[in-house]
Amino acid sequence: MGHSTAELSDPQGPPHVHHMDAKTAYESAKFGMWLFLATEILLFGGLFCAFALFRWMHLDEFHAASKHLNVWMGGTNTVVLLISSYFAAMAVDAAQHGDNAKVRRNILITIGCAAIFLVIKYFEYSEKIHHGYLPWMFDKYSPEVAHLNEKYSVFFALYFCMTGLHGLHVLIGMALLGWVYSLAKKDRFSGRYYTPVEVGALYWHLVDLIWIYLFPLLYLVG
Amino acid sequence: MSHHEHGPDCTHDHHGDHMGHIMPGHIYRNILIALLFLTVVTVGVAQIHFGGVWNIIVAMFVASIKAGLVAMYFMHLKFEDKFTWIYAFIPLFLLFLLIGGVFIDNPFRIIPSPQ
């Protein structure tokens, strides 16, 4: 499939060298991405399970530690990601209508939102690290602070693991969408071929889906 | 678009030519508005103290409505075949088994306390 996708966009190219028609290639690529997203849910699923168990074991500490997260920053990032997902969906819509200029515009807004998300995350991380909430750093502080931070260490270990893995996905998503942008720049997409836009957007929506659960778990109910 | 063999106006006329389902653009906008509204709801209900496990259940319920909207409309799951549906739900089922298994085990363990 991979070797034929670029040629499929070109109606002037040889039409019969492929071992499957364009529709089958599109459906297979999309199904492959859904399959991959299933493994992604399980990857995060292990962390969600760990969060559920440790929350049950240390409920009071989780409540207290959760209050140290900034709901406004987390909420803003939720809105930013939802808007980015909307523009990813609109990029697919534009590609379906064969409008490569609109694909580029929508993809750029999506990547811009991703960048805003990471900048806000950077400020959050800096503040948490400054307060000694990195699980392996709490003993670097005075005994009182260290004692307090140690109480929060399980929550913040999970916080950094879950948001860190999610942040990595944001970075990968940005790279993937950057590749889609470069294809749109070559006017590759039409109503008959837009697989990279659809598949890239699917990946981006998963990044949004994971955050939809992370935000209330980490920032609100703790 | 320039090398499109049917010309620029074919997008609405020949649905057979198309790969996936095309939704009217305003649906995406309405879904975004619903998602933003539900985010306000998420933050709002978190301020109410329901007691016990109810806060996390309400929060996960609202999050699941949001996730459902993203999957059904932004990810076009609504228009996918049954195999995609199966693979979308298998990880959720496995996750349910994992978390369910952990919670029918751990809360009932008797941990010997050090004397």
Side-chain angles (χ1 to χ4, degrees):
Chain A
M1 220 180 332
H3 66 278
S4 63
T5 46
E7 296 149 37
L8 282 171
S9 66
D10 183 10
Q12 268 82 51
H16 298 300
V17 297
H18 314 296
H19 54 271
M20 58 174 86
D21 62 274
K23 176 104 179 161
T24 312
Y26 164 78
E27 294 291 347
S28 314
K30 201 169 58 175
F31 183 66
M33 183 44 102
W34 275 99
L35 215 57
F36 174 67
L37 295 187
T39 71
E40 290 277 71
I41 292 174
L42 291 175
L43 171 68
F44 279 95
L47 288 167
F48 279 112
C49 182
F51 186 89
L53 180 62
F54 282 113
R55 180 183 184 273
W56 174 77
M57 288 167 76
H58 308 284
L59 192 58
D60 294 336
E61 286 86 347
F62 268 51
H63 280 322
S66 164
K67 291 201 167 57
H68 290 260
L69 294 181
N70 189 323
V71 176
W72 281 106
M73 282 182 150
T76 306
N77 261 350
T78 307
V79 170
V80 167
L81 273 195
L82 288 174
I83 292 171
S84 79
S85 239
Y86 165 77
F87 280 102
M90 289 314 283
V92 178
D93 186 65
Q96 286 174 328
H97 292 92
D99 190 341
N100 281 280
K102 225 169 160 187
V103 173
R104 288 197 294 274
R105 194 201 67 156
N106 288 334
I107 290 287
L108 272 188
I109 297 174
T110 309
I111 295 176
C113 286
I116 294 172
F117 178 91
L118 287 179
V119 167
I120 293 179
K121 208 80 217 132
Y122 167 79
F123 283 113
E124 280 190 275
Y125 271 15
S126 318
E127 199 235 329
K128 297 298 165 279
I129 292 168
H130 179 73
H131 284 107
Y133 292 143
L134 267 185
W136 59 88
M137 267 177 66
F138 53 74
D139 57 348
K140 306 244 187 319
Y141 290 79
S142 67
E144 305 86 67
V145 179
H147 170 72
L148 202 64
N149 291 359
E150 191 178 359
K151 260 181 62 177
Y152 299 155
S153 65
V154 178
F155 177 86
F156 277 104
L158 282 164
Y159 167 80
F160 280 112
C161 269
M162 294 170 102
T163 59
L165 186 62
H166 178 265
L168 182 66
H169 280 75
V170 172
L171 277 176
I172 295 169
M174 286 170 85
L176 197 60
L177 293 173
W179 170 68
V180 172
Y181 177 86
S182 75
L183 290 178
K185 212 161 178 183
K186 295 175 198 151
D187 286 328
R188 280 287 170 79
F189 304 123
S190 67
R192 290 159 55 81
Y193 174 72
Y194 57 90
T195 310
V197 195
E198 172 95 46
V199 166
L202 277 178
Y203 183 85
W204 189 253
H205 293 313
L206 182 93
V207 173
D208 185 28
L209 275 188
I210 300 287
W211 186 260
I212 283 176
Y213 284 96
L214 285 181
F215 171 58
L217 276 180
L218 295 171
Y219 290 79
L220 295 172
V221 286
Chain B
M1 196 152 87
S2 53
H3 56 247
H4 202 294
E5 58 188 347
H6 293 295
D9 290 320
C10 82
T11 47
H12 277 299
D13 305 330
H14 308 95
H15 276 281
D17 274 358
H18 283 97
M19 298 291 144
H21 185 90
I22 299 185
M23 282 199 301
H26 68 88
I27 292 183
Y28 293 108
R29 192 200 57 212
N30 292 348
I31 295 296
L32 176 66
I33 292 169
L35 287 168
L36 294 175
F37 172 72
L38 286 170
T39 303
V40 176
V41 171
T42 306
V43 177
V45 293
Q47 315 308 316
I48 308 165
H49 190 73
F50 294 106
V53 292
W54 286 103
N55 270 76
I56 200 155
I57 288 173
V58 169
M60 289 301 97
F61 179 71
V62 179
S64 296
I65 295 175
K66 289 169 74 180
L69 288 177
V70 171
M72 293 293 258
Y73 293 97
F74 283 2
M75 299 172 86
H76 305 136
L77 184 58
K78 198 176 175 196
F79 312 104
E80 297 295 351
D81 58 14
K82 66 171 186 287
F83 293 106
T84 308
W85 275 82
I86 289 169
Y87 278 93
F89 277 91
I90 278 179
L92 301 181
F93 173 68
L94 291 175
L95 195 54
F96 169 76
L97 282 187
L98 179 67
I99 296 179
V102 161
F103 275 90
I104 55 174
D105 170 15
N106 273 275
F108 304 107
R109 278 194 191 183
I110 297 159
I111 299 164
S113 53
Q115 296 301 315

